[in-house]
Amino acid sequence: MNTIYKLVKTFKYFHRYASSISNPLTDCTIFSLSSGYGKCGVSVIRVSGPRTKYALQTLVGLRHELKPRYAYLKSIYHPENKELIDKGLVLWFPGPASFTGEDSCEFQVHGSLAVIAAIMDALGKVPGLRPATAGEFTKRAFFGGKLDLTEVEGLADLIHAETEAQRKQAMLQSTGALSRVYDNWRRRLIRCAAHLEAYIDFAEEENIEDDVVMQLNKELRRIITEIREHLNDQRQGEMLRNGVRTAIVGAPNVGKSSFLNMMCQREVAIVTPIAGTTRDIIESTHNFGGYPVIFADTAGLHKQTQDIVELEGMSRAKECLQNADLILLLTDARELLANIANNNGTLKEYQSSYLQQLDLDENALADKRIQLITNKIDLLSTTELQRLTQIDVLRISCKEPNTVELQPFLQHFEGVLRELCGQPSAEHPRITHTRYRQQLERCIEHINIFLDEYAPDIYPDIAISAQKLRNALKCIERITGHVSSNDILDVVFKDFCIGK
Ligand code: GDP
């Protein structure tokens, strides 16, 4: 097939898709406090839009052009009464080399409530300026082509990051690590679709390259393989972003609440010797070696109760267990030893027989990481402790946490978290949002339908098959925001605060 024709088609495709997002935001200039609200040393107020320079002129006067991205110490005046509000730093970011892509500026002023209120009032008096809504600066950056949706979401995650590993992952995403992966597939799918269209147009002619269909099939199969590899990530990125949901389960009185308190280093749950104290799920989020963990203390799981409150607690505990990423199965060390000795069994058998009697849904525990832990080792004799050591099970005492056993346990636990969350890296950025996963799965489905229909010897209606390819492309573009609906944008931007 004529190579130039293929190139022209490809260009037209890129052009069509590149121009498919238009900026629905109006031409007005927005302003907002971008640093936290409250008394502090320095506060940052941002302005973005076409009248930014005019706002600067009005508040600080511009006898000379400001050098872009340089800090100037300036006196800031109110435009109506000409009163001096404060002295602070002023930075000028002419578009398109700014965060939003528009002309923007920043006022770095003393962080008192009165100074902030006066500057906000002064900016409000400048014609053509209005306060920004939540996430509006980032929305402008998105519509201005500065960020794609994955970078926007990375930025939101960076703002909300609470642990070091979360920060790393969000930082990579906000600087385009995922965007590059998806854009690569997008470009290749566009090329495939363009070549197919060129092929349709040239079908009647004689100068068709024989291998064009084969090349297309090969490339699409390569893309499927790459997407599948990306999907096969054990949800590491999502777990790191959302926190590892960790259910603490076991029989009543084995020390589940004590364990939660020990791990969180505060009295989160009530501890008593009375069985059945915990009825509801008690959750507590904790930063563990840089990994976020959402511990959930649950009601003791056992069979002998008619108490309706306890039964409800057990039902919630089972639900929590089924939704968890990690299950910590706590046992009483004496009970474990007795059980293994009496039944001449192994740890694995003990664990399975305990879980079996819980009548959980089938497959509820499939692919779940279950960690057996024995508690109350302080109650064991030296001989019993030796026997337990031979069994090679994680050993702790929540009552006397300072035993030598605690450190190896904590190290092991951190290792489990590292395995579950993985290490964020630029080479293999992870899926962090369920919506990416859903769109990628759909993308594969569409490509597969296309490949099934489009076997060269079947001769289907190629034009109809080509639509499947465009559907696959749209799935990727919904992730990056090259095609977007208000529904998606509302979800993405809901995590932003005013000033971001
Ligand atoms: P849960 O019902 O599984 O949540 O257990 P709790 O944490 O409420 O503890 C039940 C009882 O066991 C309380 O009296 C705790 O003080 C006690 N306990 C918990 N952990 C230990 C431990 O490591 N050693 C000893 N000796 N007692 C413990």
Side-chain angles (χ1 to χ4, degrees):
M1 192 190 300
N2 185 330
T3 316
I4 295 179
Y5 188 72
K6 276 205 287 189
L7 279 173
V8 170
K9 270 278 175 192
T10 310
F11 174 76
K12 277 190 181 163
Y13 246 88
F14 272 110
H15 182 71
R16 189 189 313 162
Y17 281 92
S19 52
S20 62
I21 28 169
S22 59
N23 188 345
L25 302 173
T26 58
D27 282 343
C28 67
T29 299
I30 52 169
F31 63 92
S32 168
L33 174 70
S34 283
S35 52
Y37 194 72
K39 286 179 199 169
C40 54
V42 177
S43 283
V44 180
I45 293 162
R46 258 181 178 174
V47 181
S48 178
R51 289 180 79 79
T52 301
K53 204 171 199 176
Y54 178 64
L56 271 174
Q57 171 78 54
T58 313
L59 266 67
V60 301
L62 294 177
R63 260 173 289 153
H64 310 286
E65 276 285 304
L66 294 184
K67 234 173 147 183
R69 295 172 291 282
Y70 268 71
Y72 291 90
L73 181 64
K74 291 274 182 193
S75 299
I76 304 164
Y77 296 93
H78 196 284
E80 283 186 340
N81 55 23
K82 311 292 177 211
E83 212 175 283
L84 176 66
I85 301 173
D86 192 15
K87 261 186 146 181
L89 294 183
V90 171
L91 288 101
W92 161 237
F93 305 99
S98 68
F99 172 71
T100 55
E102 306 174 319
D103 282 354
S104 314
C105 77
E106 265 180 33
F107 295 92
Q108 298 184 5
V109 294
H110 293 107
S112 86
L113 300 183
V115 169
I116 294 164
I119 294 185
M120 299 292 273
D121 183 62
L123 287 169
K125 295 288 179 326
V126 180
L129 263 68
R130 67 155 172 82
T133 56
E136 200 172 357
F137 288 95
T138 314
K139 233 180 213 174
R140 287 184 177 214
F142 168 68
F143 284 114
K146 287 276 164 179
L147 303 170
D148 78 358
L149 271 195
T150 65
E151 289 166 322
V152 166
E153 286 169 314
L155 195 59
D157 290 349
L158 189 62
I159 293 167
H160 294 288
E162 289 183 353
T163 74
E164 179 57 10
Q166 281 180 322
R167 181 196 64 74
K168 275 189 193 156
Q169 175 164 276
M171 189 65 210
L172 285 169
Q173 187 171 330
S174 68
T175 50
L178 264 183
S179 168
R180 281 187 283 278
V181 173
Y182 298 146
D183 202 50
N184 174 284
W185 291 330
R186 173 176 174 264
R187 283 172 184 277
R188 285 160 64 192
L189 281 173
I190 287 179
R191 209 171 296 127
C192 288
H195 288 189
L196 186 69
E197 286 205 3
Y199 177 70
I200 295 168
D201 294 353
F202 267 70
E204 304 299 316
E205 309 207 2
E206 287 187 0
N207 57 343
I208 296 172
E209 290 162 18
D210 290 339
D211 67 343
V212 72
V213 177
M214 229 157 56
Q215 293 287 357
L216 195 71
N217 278 6
K218 259 194 197 161
E219 173 68 341
L220 290 172
R221 284 182 205 288
R222 260 196 303 266
I223 294 175
I224 289 186
T225 309
E226 289 170 27
I227 298 181
R228 283 217 176 104
E229 273 170 21
H230 182 64
L231 281 167
N232 187 17
D233 63 349
Q234 281 79 44
R235 290 186 47 255
Q236 288 186 327
E238 282 153 283
M239 255 188 245
L240 179 54
R241 176 178 180 265
N242 304 326
V244 181
R245 286 165 301 169
T246 306
I248 307 166
V249 296
N253 259 350
V254 292
K256 298 179 295 299
S257 301
S258 308
F259 177 79
L260 175 72
N261 293 347
M262 179 184 80
M263 295 301 269
C264 298
Q265 294 175 357
R266 64 189 173 92
E267 299 297 305
V268 182
I270 301 171
V271 170
T272 72
I274 305 160
T277 313
T278 308
R279 307 289 179 94
D280 229 332
I281 308 288
I282 300 174
E283 281 195 347
S284 180
T285 304
H286 198 60
N287 176 352
F288 211 94
Y291 297 98
V293 184
I294 307 167
F295 285 115
D297 182 18
T298 62
L301 292 167
H302 61 115
K303 290 214 134 176
Q304 309 89 11
T305 187
Q306 295 305 319
D307 180 331
I308 53 165
V309 185
E310 213 183 343
L311 281 171
E312 176 58 28
M314 280 168 54
S315 147
R316 290 181 189 198
K318 286 183 191 175
E319 200 184 320
C320 170
L321 184 145
Q322 296 181 42
N323 292 327
D325 303 311
L326 171 64
I327 296 167
L328 300 181
L329 177 55
L330 238 68
T331 60
D332 181 317
R334 295 162 301 176
E335 200 265 329
L336 177 81
L337 274 179
N339 190 297
I340 288 188
N342 292 345
N343 302 327
N344 213 5
T346 62
L347 267 188
K348 239 191 159 54
E349 284 162 354
Y350 173 85
Q351 182 172 306
S352 333
S353 76
Y354 178 81
L355 292 170
Q356 254 167 25
Q357 45 122 18
L358 299 180
D359 296 329
L360 298 170
D361 291 347
E362 222 178 304
N363 296 328
L365 301 177
D367 302 329
K368 284 216 192 299
R369 178 87 185 230
I370 303 172
Q371 187 69 63
L372 188 72
I373 303 167
T374 47
N375 185 31
K376 305 197 183 185
I377 56 165
D378 56 293
L379 296 177
L380 299 182
S381 66
T382 318
T383 345
E384 284 172 322
L385 197 56
Q386 271 169 358
R387 275 181 52 215
L388 197 67
T389 316
Q390 282 158 9
I391 294 176
D392 193 25
V393 61
L394 288 173
R395 307 172 289 275
I396 52 165
S397 164
C398 296
K399 194 123 193 179
E400 291 171 25
N402 292 330
T403 54
V404 282
E405 317 281 352
L406 187 66
Q407 219 40 42
F409 166 75
L410 294 178
Q411 273 168 10
H412 180 91
F413 185 61
E414 204 176 304
V416 171
L417 295 176
R418 202 175 307 121
E419 263 174 51
L420 287 173
C421 297
Q423 305 271 32
S425 80
E427 294 73 36
H428 302 288
R430 304 281 184 215
I431 297 172
T432 48
H433 291 68
T434 319
R435 71 174 197 95
Y436 306 172
R437 189 174 296 286
Q438 290 165 344
Q439 293 298 340
L440 291 171
E441 279 163 357
R442 265 183 226 152
C443 175
I444 292 184
E445 275 169 32
H446 287 301
I447 301 180
N448 271 330
I449 297 174
F450 171 80
L451 287 172
D452 287 348
E453 278 182 10
Y454 189 56
D457 46 339
I458 297 178
Y459 292 112
D461 185 334
I462 305 176
I464 294 175
S465 302
Q467 184 57 40
K468 309 290 183 319
L469 218 48
R470 281 196 288 272
N471 290 342
L473 176 61
K474 265 194 197 141
C475 292
I476 304 285
E477 298 197 320
R478 276 194 203 104
I479 300 178
T480 54
H482 284 89
V483 291
S484 55
S485 67
N486 281 341
D487 294 354
I488 297 178
L489 295 184
D490 287 349
V491 171
V492 170
F493 284 98
K494 81 174 185 335
D495 286 341
F496 283 92
C497 46
I498 290 176
K500 191 64 214 163

